[in-house]
Amino acid sequence: MEVIIQSNPEAAADLVARIVARELHANPHLVLGLATGRTMERVYQGLVAKHREQQLDFSLCSTFNLDEYVGLPSSNPNSYRHYMDQHLFRHVNIDPRNTHLPNGVAEDLERECELYERAIQRFGGIDLQLLGIGKAGHIGFNEPLSALRSRTRVKALTPITLAQNAALFGGEEKVPRRAITMGVGTILECRRCVLLATGADKAEILARAVEGPISGMISATALQLHPRCTVVVDEAAASKLTEVEYYRWIFENEPEWREFRTPQQPGQ
Ligand code: GLP
């Protein structure tokens, strides 16, 4: 795992957008794993800007989202399909047929989960998976006690998650109780993952996810098992980490990060 600390939420999201853009340049057929949540909105703004200003090309790229609420059709403004259309898909030249989210209103949810796993396989697996982190320490909707080898399935949401997302639904009682989510095992199979966390309210869980013991109670700790996982945070989210000086040294000195150390120039 690598931890990259940026001075503010904008810089952190911008770095993630640059990582995605770089991977997409290197491989136009990139299979991109996407996440939702407020934190990711800035990343998608950055990608849309790169598409508009630097012709970042999504035409050959395919996407798979981590999760979707059970019971919400794509027309529902709180569905993750709607979120993705709003924040990314409709603003870039991606082929809608190449964008995938679990269908939260499928008649047979178990079958839907199986088909989702198969579709990921058919596209050759996920090259780069974006991740946020919930206050319960989840990645996707892998709530506490998610098996570290779990696959795409229906998961009941914890009270912490319901509370975290209540404002978006206009009340906790309106938040769907269940979601389809890629499993922890599904996520761990991606070739590279990038987790973005910003803000002081993520500091505690982020420190436990990165520096704490691996546990099914905090599914984000499973990322410690991933061979190529980058965690990008702002100063506020980094405030409870203990090895901060070491993380800063790596970003400032390792050649891999050279091009990301300086602010991006127009056209880059
Ligand atoms: C939801 C999503 C997660 C995301 C989390 C963080 O729970 N299922 O994938 O990481 O929100 O949301 P926010 O960025 O709004 O804090």
Side-chain angles (χ1 to χ4, degrees), residues 36-39 66-67 80 132-134 138 140-141 164-165 202:
T36 50
R38 283 153 283 201
T39 317
L66 285 167
D67 45 18
Y80 284 163
I133 184 168
H138 66 210
F141 270 130
Q164 191 188 339
N165 292 333
K202 296 283 174 74

Side-chain angles (χ1 to χ4, degrees), residues 15 33 56 79 169 247 259 264:
L15 184 69
L56 182 64
S79 72
F169 285 83
Y247 309 146
E259 71 183 270
Q264 195 165 28

Side-chain angles (χ1 to χ4, degrees), residues 1 3 5 133-138 195-215 218-224 231-244 247:
M1 216 181 227
V3 180
I5 303 167
I133 184 168
K135 281 193 194 145
H138 66 210
L195 183 145
L196 173 64
T198 58
D201 60 340
K202 296 283 174 74
E204 176 77 41
I205 195 66
L206 194 270
R208 293 176 72 190
V210 172
E211 295 178 337
I214 296 174
S215 159
I218 301 176
S219 62
T221 60
L223 298 173
Q224 295 174 28
V231 173
V232 181
V233 289
D234 66 348
E235 292 286 353
S239 61
K240 298 226 157 100
L241 292 168
T242 55
E243 297 295 333
V244 164
Y247 309 146

Side-chain angles (χ1 to χ4, degrees), residues 144-158:
L145 289 183
S146 287
L148 300 184
R149 297 174 71 177
S150 50
R151 313 301 308 187
T152 302
R153 69 213 184 290
V154 174
K155 198 72 191 155
L157 306 183
T158 58

Side-chain angles (χ1 to χ4, degrees), residues 72-173:
L72 296 195
S74 55
S75 55
N76 187 306
N78 280 311
S79 72
Y80 284 163
R81 164 61 76 176
H82 189 269
Y83 171 106
M84 289 312 308
D85 285 341
Q86 287 284 109
H87 293 288
L88 184 66
F89 297 157
R90 71 159 67 146
H91 306 291
V92 298
N93 64 335
I94 197 160
D95 182 340
R97 289 169 304 182
N98 289 338
T99 65
H100 305 88
L101 284 94
N103 176 7
V105 291
E107 220 163 274
D108 183 343
L109 292 173
E110 212 171 298
R111 173 118 183 98
E112 173 63 17
C113 296
E114 269 173 44
L115 291 175
Y116 203 64
E117 286 278 335
R118 271 194 235 163
I120 294 171
Q121 296 306 321
R122 212 172 46 245
F123 277 72
I126 293 169
D127 294 308
L128 172 63
Q129 177 67 57
L130 297 183
L131 297 164
I133 184 168
K135 281 193 194 145
H138 66 210
I139 45 176
F141 270 130
N142 289 287
E143 301 290 55
L145 289 183
S146 287
L148 300 184
R149 297 174 71 177
S150 50
R151 313 301 308 187
T152 302
R153 69 213 184 290
V154 174
K155 198 72 191 155
L157 306 183
T158 58
I160 299 181
T161 302
L162 296 174
Q164 191 188 339
N165 292 333
L168 300 167
F169 285 83
E172 209 171 303
E173 66 294 343

